[in-house]
C-alpha cells in the first residue's frame, strides 16, 4: 500500500512539474511563430507584449492569454494607425485537442478593454482591408480541408465576454461617424450544438452617431437583453422576451431571422407605447445639454416597427415604421415661455423589393411656440431614382421668440419673421435641372427682416 501511495505521489509531482515547466518552455517559441505567421498574411503589423500558456488555471482545460495586443496599419494611407488593440485576450481550450489532429476546441473567450477603429476615406480606401492577396488560388477540383475532414477549428463557446470595449467608425465619404464606449457583452450558449439557447446581455454607456455631419445621438446609453432560441444547424434564430433600451426608452423585440448563404429571411416586430416625451428629447443632441436637467416636458410617444420577407443585395423585405407624438410640450426653467401642442404622425414603409418603393409620410406635424404656430406635412417616394415629393406648411414663426423657449449659445441672436401658407410638389430632378415650371406650387412664403 505504501508503494502505491508513493508511486501516486511521484506521478502527481511529475504531472505538476510538466504542467508548470512545459508552458514556460514553449511560450517564447509559440509567440514567435504566431507573430511571424500572422505578419506574413497581413498588410498590417501584429504585435503583443506577452503570451501566456497555462495547463493549471482552468484544468482540465488549457488557457492561452495574449496581453497588449495591437494591430497597426503598415501601408499608406493608414501607416501608424491602430486598427485593433486589447489589454488582454484569454482563450480556454480543450487540453486534449491541443495534441490531436482534429483542431482546437474553444470553450471560453474573454476580451478585456478591446478597441476597434474602422475608417473609410473619401476615396473609398478602408483601414480594415489588411489581408495580403493570396498568391495561389486552389484548383477548382481540389477539395478544401473542410470538405476532406471537417474544419480544423471547433467552436464550443459557452461563455464569451467583452468588457470595456471602445468601438469607432468613421466614413469620410458620407460624413458619418459612430462611436460607443465602454461596451460590455456577455454571450452564453453551446455553439457546438445543433440547437441551443443563447443568453445575450449587451450594454454601453455612451453611444454617439453623426450622419451627414449632423449629430443624431449624443452620449446615449444603450442596453440589449435577449434570450434567443438558436437553431445553429439551419441558422434560424427565434427572439422572445427581448428588450432594447436607449436611455429611458425601452423597445420590445419579437420574431425570427434565418440566414442562408447571402439570403436573410425575417419576420420581426418591435415597438413601445406611452414613452414620456422628455425621454424622447434626451436622444436629441440639441436638447441633451447641460440645461436638460432643468427641462420639464409633457406628452407621450408611441412607436411600432415590423419587417417581413427576404433581404439579399439590394432587395429589401417589406417593412413599416410608425410613430406618433401626442400633446407634447417642453419648457426650460430658465426661460419664460414653452413650446406646446406638439403633435406628430409619421410613417416609413416599403411593400418589399427595392429602396425606390419606400414611402416617407409625415401626415401631421404641429406646434405652438410663444404665440407662434406651425403646421406641416411631407410625403416622398422613389427615393433612390428620382425622389418625388409633396409638402405643405402653414403658420407664422417669429425667430426672435426662439430665445424665449430655447437656450441659444452665447452671442447668437435670431431675428426675422417667416410666414407660410404654401403647397409644393414635384421631383428632385426638376429642381436639379432648374425646371421650376414643372413644380406644383401655390400659396405664399414670406421672409421679413431675416438676420443673425
Amino acid at each position: 500500500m505504501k508503494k502505491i501511495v508513493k508511486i501516486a505521489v511521484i506521478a502527481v509531482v511529475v504531472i505538476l512539474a510538466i504542467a508548470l515547466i512545459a508552458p514556460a518552455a514553449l511560450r517564447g517559441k509559440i509567440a514567435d511563430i504566431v507573430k511571424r505567421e500572422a505578419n506574413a498574411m497581413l498588410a498590417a503589423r501584429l504585435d503583443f507584449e506577452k503570451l501566456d500558456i497555462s495547463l493549471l488555471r482552468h484544468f482540465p482545460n488549457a488557457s492561452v492569454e495574449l496581453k497588449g495586443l495591437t494591430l497597426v496599419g503598415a501601408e499608406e494611407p493608414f501607416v501608424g494607425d491602430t486598427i485593433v488593440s486589447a489589454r488582454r485576450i484569454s482563450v480556454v481550450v480543450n487540453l486534449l485537442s491541443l495534441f490531436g489532429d482534429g483542431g482546437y476546441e474553444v470553450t471560453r473567450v474573454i476580451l478585456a478593454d478591446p478597441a476597434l477603429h474602422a475608417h473609410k476615406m473619401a476615396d473609398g480606401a478602408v483601414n480594415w482591408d489588411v489581408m495580403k492577396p493570396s498568391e495561389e488560388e486552389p484548383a477548382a477540383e481540389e477539395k478544401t480541408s473542410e470538405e476532406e475532414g471537417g474544419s480544423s477549428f471547433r467552436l464550443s463557446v459557452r461563455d464569451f465576454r467583452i468588457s470595456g470595449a471602445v468601438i469607432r467608425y468613421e466614413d469620410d465619404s458620407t460624413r458619418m461617424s459612430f462611436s460607443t464606449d465602454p461596451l460590455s457583452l456577455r454571450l452564453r450558449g453551446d455553439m457546438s450544438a445543433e440547437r441551443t439557447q443563447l443568453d445575450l446581455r449587451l450594454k454601453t454607456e455612451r453611444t454617439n452617431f453623426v450622419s451627414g455631419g449632423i449629430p443624431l445621438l449624443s452620449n446615449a446609453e444603450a442596453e440589449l437583453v435577449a434570450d434567443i432560441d438558436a437553431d445553429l444547424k439551419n441558422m434560424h434564430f427565434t427572439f422572445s422576451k427581448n428588450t432594447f433600451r436607449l436611455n429611458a426608452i425601452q423597445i420590445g423585440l419579437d420574431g425570427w431571422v434565418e440566414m442562408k448563404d447571402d439570403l436573410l429571411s425575417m419576420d420581426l416586430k418591435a415597438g413601445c407605447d406611452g414613452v414620456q416625451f422628455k425621454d424622447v428629447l434626451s436622444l436629441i443632441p440639441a436638447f441633451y445639454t447641460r440645461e436638460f436637467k432643468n427641462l420639464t416636458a409633457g406628452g407621450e410617444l408611441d412607436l411600432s416597427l415590423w419587417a417581413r420577407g427576404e433581404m439579399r443585395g439590394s432587395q429589401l423585405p417589406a417593412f413599416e415604421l410608425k410613430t406618433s407624438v401626442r400633446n407634447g410640450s417642453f419648457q426650460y426653467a430658465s426661460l419664460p415661455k414653452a413650446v406646446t401642442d406638439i403633435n406628430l404622425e409619421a410613417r416609413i414603409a416599403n411593400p418589399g423589393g427595392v429602396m425606390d418603393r419606400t414611402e416617407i409620410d409625415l401626415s401631421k406635424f404641429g406646434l405652438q411656440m410663444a404665440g407662434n404656430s406651425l403646421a406641416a406635412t411631407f410625403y416622398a417616394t422613389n427615393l433612390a431614382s428620382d425622389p418625388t415629393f409633396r409638402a405643405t406648411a402653414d403658420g407664422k414663426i417669429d425667430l426672435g421668440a426662439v430665445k424665449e423657449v430655447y437656450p441659444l449659445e452665447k452671442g447668437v441672436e435670431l431675428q426675422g419673421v417667416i410666414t407660410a401658407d404654401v403647397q409644393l410638389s414635384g421631383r428632385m430632378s426638376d429642381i436639379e435641372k432648374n425646371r421650376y415650371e414643372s413644380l406644383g406650387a401655390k400659396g405664399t412664403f414670406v421672409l421679413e427682416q431675416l438676420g443673425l
Side-chain angles (χ1 to χ4, degrees):
M1 184 66 182
K2 291 182 178 180
K3 288 184 178 181
I4 295 175
V5 173
K6 186 175 181 180
I7 293 173
V9 171
I10 293 174
V12 170
V13 171
V14 171
I15 292 173
L16 289 174
I18 293 174
L20 291 171
I21 296 172
L26 296 173
R27 185 182 300 134
K29 183 177 181 181
I30 294 176
D32 291 341
I33 293 173
V34 170
K35 291 181 182 180
R36 183 175 67 248
E37 295 299 322
N39 286 308
M41 296 186 294
L42 298 173
R45 187 174 70 256
L46 178 75
D47 198 6
F48 48 86
E49 297 174 359
K50 188 177 181 181
L51 182 146
D52 281 334
I53 302 173
S54 174
L55 304 180
L56 298 177
R57 187 178 300 149
H58 299 280
F59 189 82
N61 295 322
S63 67
V64 179
E65 188 171 273
L66 285 176
K67 294 182 179 180
L69 174 74
T70 57
L71 179 65
V72 179
E75 296 184 356
E76 294 292 347
F78 303 109
V79 174
D81 290 354
T82 300
I83 305 167
V84 178
S85 66
R87 180 175 60 83
R88 177 172 63 92
I89 299 177
S90 180
V91 180
V92 179
V93 299
N94 183 304
L95 185 57
L96 295 178
S97 71
L98 295 175
F99 302 99
D101 297 326
Y104 304 147
E105 182 180 352
V106 179
T107 59
R108 188 179 187 188
V109 178
I110 298 175
L111 279 68
D113 300 332
L116 171 64
H117 179 207
H119 187 187
K120 180 180 180 181
M121 303 193 73
D123 61 3
V126 295
N127 69 343
W128 61 83
D129 186 12
V130 296
M131 295 299 298
K132 291 181 179 178
S134 176
E135 296 181 359
E136 296 183 4
E137 296 293 335
E141 64 273 11
E142 291 182 1
K143 292 184 178 180
T144 65
S145 60
E146 291 190 10
E147 291 173 329
E148 292 174 347
S151 172
S152 61
F153 184 82
R154 303 199 309 277
L155 185 64
S156 180
V157 177
R158 288 176 173 81
D159 191 3
F160 179 82
R161 300 190 184 196
I162 298 175
S163 62
V166 177
I167 299 174
R168 291 187 297 146
Y169 174 74
E170 299 165 358
D171 188 338
D172 296 343
S173 62
T174 60
R175 297 174 65 203
M176 189 267 276
S177 65
F178 171 85
S179 67
T180 184
D181 74 284
L183 178 144
S184 62
L185 179 145
R186 188 196 73 194
L187 176 63
R188 290 178 177 173
D190 186 356
M191 302 298 183
S192 65
E194 290 188 355
R195 193 178 194 114
T196 188
Q197 194 72 23
L198 299 179
D199 178 11
L200 175 63
R201 302 289 185 270
L202 182 148
K203 185 175 182 180
T204 179
E205 295 181 13
R206 292 178 294 273
T207 298
N208 297 278
F209 179 60
V210 176
S211 180
I214 300 173
L216 299 180
L217 278 181
S218 178
N219 291 332
E221 184 178 288
E223 184 176 20
L224 173 65
V225 178
D227 295 313
I228 306 169
D229 181 11
D231 180 353
L232 298 176
K233 181 179 180 181
N234 298 303
M235 296 301 287
H236 184 98
F237 303 90
T238 303
F239 302 88
S240 60
K241 299 179 181 178
N242 301 280
T243 58
F244 174 71
R245 180 178 62 81
L246 196 60
N247 284 358
I249 300 176
Q250 186 163 291
I251 300 172
L253 173 66
D254 293 288
W256 59 266
V257 297
E258 182 174 300
M259 294 178 284
K260 187 175 295 183
D261 298 326
D262 62 342
L263 177 66
L264 179 65
S265 303
M266 68 188 72
D267 186 352
L268 296 169
K269 61 180 180 179
C272 58
D273 298 319
V275 175
Q276 296 302 302
F277 191 56
K278 184 172 183 178
D279 295 332
V280 178
L281 295 178
S282 74
L283 301 178
I284 304 174
F287 285 92
Y288 197 65
T289 65
R290 66 180 185 275
E291 295 279 347
F292 186 76
K293 63 180 181 296
N294 298 319
L295 178 74
T296 58
E300 294 183 342
L301 173 139
D302 293 340
L303 182 146
S304 65
L305 167 68
W306 60 263
R308 189 178 303 116
E310 298 179 343
M311 179 184 294
R312 173 187 282 158
S314 61
Q315 178 184 348
L316 297 176
F319 65 85
E320 181 182 62
L321 168 66
K322 295 176 69 175
T323 185
S324 64
V325 174
R326 301 182 303 277
N327 300 318
S329 65
F330 67 86
Q331 182 173 11
Y332 289 90
S334 59
L335 298 177
K337 296 184 179 180
V339 176
T340 62
D341 298 322
I342 302 172
N343 290 282
L344 178 148
E345 297 284 346
R347 173 178 175 266
I348 302 175
N350 188 308
V354 295
M355 176 63 75
D356 223 31
R357 303 180 70 184
T358 300
E359 296 180 332
I360 299 176
D361 186 8
L362 177 64
S363 59
K364 180 180 182 180
F365 175 75
L367 58 79
Q368 299 283 331
M369 182 192 77
N372 299 265
S373 65
L374 175 66
T377 65
F378 178 79
Y379 175 86
T381 188
N382 301 327
L383 302 181
S385 59
D386 185 10
T388 302
F389 63 90
R390 62 177 182 266
T392 68
D394 183 16
K396 181 178 180 180
I397 298 295
D398 181 356
L399 297 180
V402 172
K403 63 184 179 182
E404 298 179 335
V405 300
Y406 183 80
L408 298 174
E409 293 184 10
K410 187 176 181 180
V412 175
E413 292 286 342
L414 301 178
Q415 65 179 29
V417 178
I418 301 175
T419 305
D421 180 8
V422 63
Q423 298 177 27
L424 182 66
S425 62
R427 296 177 180 272
M428 186 60 66
S429 59
D430 292 330
I431 296 176
E432 293 173 344
K433 296 179 181 179
N434 300 322
R435 297 194 297 252
Y436 300 115
E437 69 280 359
S438 298
L439 299 176
K442 64 179 181 178
T444 59
F445 186 83
V446 180
L447 300 177
E448 299 177 285
Q449 301 176 343
L450 189 64
L452 294 175

